[in-house]
């Protein structure tokens, strides 16, 4: 095995090789402290101009879960019904309103983005929030939990149901998290190899 990585092999396995998308979970609860600790780690992942557009809605109550499940497609509905915690991960196209805090090195950044077409802010929010979703998956794994991210749901329906039609929050991913349950894993599918992906010029 190459010694090019300084991260301990057990940590590599936890984060990548042994980690899987979970489809079932135990009943063990996921606490607010766990979610807070995960976020306090992954918030350091880079985003463009430090814009940090990801917003997280933790679905804990039975009433909120029932409202969410109706918008989940196919097998994602029962998985979401049974998960100990579900997160609605959204991109906030009003991220620029926080630039005085998140990007103080450019005092005019807030006004610059406010003057842009909404579509430009939405695109930046989508691209960078999806980066943050990936960081969050790794943080969940680092906490010894499993993540079950899903994009198979009615995104517009979830937006209207939870945030309102005029909200600047755009749902991207619904993620179940917890300790993996029985038969949690599907067979791992093949990965592309280095020479199939990387071209040197």
């Amino acid at each position: 095995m190459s010694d090019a990585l300084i991260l301990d092999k057990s940590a590599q396995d936890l984060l990548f090789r042994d980690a899987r998308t979970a489809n079932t979970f135990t009943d063990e609860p996921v606490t607010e402290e766990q979610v807070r600790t995960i976020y306090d780690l992954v918030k350091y992942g880079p985003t463009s101009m430090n814009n940090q557009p990801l917003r997280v809605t933790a679905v804990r109550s039975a009433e909120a879960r029932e409202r969410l499940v109706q918008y989940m497609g196919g097998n994602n509905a029962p998985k979401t019904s049974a998960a100990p915690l579900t997160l609605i991960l959204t991109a906030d196209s009003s991220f620029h309103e926080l630039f005085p805090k998140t990007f103080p090195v450019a005092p005019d950044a807030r006004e610059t983005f406010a003057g842009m077409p909404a579509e430009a802010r939405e695109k930046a929010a989508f691209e960078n929030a999806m980066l943050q979703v990936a960081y969050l998956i790794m943080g969940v794994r680092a906490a010894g939990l499993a993540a079950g991210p899903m994009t198979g749901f009615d995104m517009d329906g979830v937006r209207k149901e939870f945030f309102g039609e005029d909200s600047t929050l755009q749902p991207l991913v619904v993620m179940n998290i917890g300790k993996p349950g029985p038969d949690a894993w599907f067979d791992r599918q093949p990965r592309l190899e280095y020479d199939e992906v990387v071209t040197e010029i």
Side-chain angles (χ1 to χ4, degrees):
M1 179 175 294
S2 172
D3 59 358
L5 299 175
I6 64 171
L7 191 66
D8 179 84
K9 182 182 179 299
S10 61
Q12 297 173 30
D13 291 342
L14 177 70
L15 296 177
F16 293 98
R17 297 188 192 94
D18 293 341
R20 309 287 289 277
T21 295
N23 295 284
T24 69
F25 299 89
T26 70
D27 293 333
E28 184 176 334
V30 177
T31 67
E32 181 185 353
E33 180 182 4
Q34 286 174 298
V35 177
R36 184 181 296 273
T37 300
I38 291 166
Y39 177 75
D40 283 342
L41 173 64
V42 303
K43 67 184 179 184
Y44 294 106
T47 53
S48 176
M49 297 177 69
N50 202 33
N51 60 12
Q52 303 173 66
L54 181 68
R55 305 292 179 262
V56 180
T57 302
V59 179
R60 291 195 182 275
S61 72
E63 180 270 338
R65 186 177 300 274
E66 186 175 329
R67 289 166 57 203
L68 175 60
V69 165
Q70 66 180 320
Y71 297 104
M72 303 304 296
N75 290 333
N76 291 340
K79 288 191 288 188
T80 302
S81 293
L85 180 64
T86 301
L87 307 178
I88 304 173
L89 306 178
T90 56
D92 187 0
S93 59
S94 290
F95 60 84
H96 61 293
E97 296 294 342
L98 294 175
F99 268 158
K101 175 179 180 178
T102 61
F103 204 57
V105 295
D108 61 343
R110 177 180 178 181
E111 288 69 29
T112 298
F113 273 76
M116 291 181 178
E119 293 79 7
R121 292 193 301 272
E122 289 167 1
K123 181 175 183 292
F126 171 83
E127 292 171 345
N128 288 278
M130 287 302 280
L131 279 176
Q132 290 185 281
V133 169
Y135 304 147
L136 185 60
I137 292 170
M138 303 310 291
V140 169
R141 293 173 175 182
L145 302 173
M150 301 166 289
T151 55
F153 65 98
D154 180 350
M155 295 182 183
D156 192 51
V158 170
R159 179 182 187 181
K160 292 175 182 177
E161 177 74 27
F162 288 91
F163 310 111
E165 192 165 0
D166 298 326
S167 174
T168 61
L169 300 180
Q170 178 58 52
L172 303 175
V173 174
V174 171
M175 185 186 299
N176 295 323
I177 63 175
K179 292 285 188 180
D183 301 317
W185 322 121
F186 296 148
D187 291 340
R188 187 184 291 284
Q189 298 301 302
R191 267 33 180 190
L192 295 176
E193 299 300 330
Y194 180 90
D195 292 336
E196 298 175 283
V197 174
V198 179
T199 302
E200 296 194 18
I201 58 174

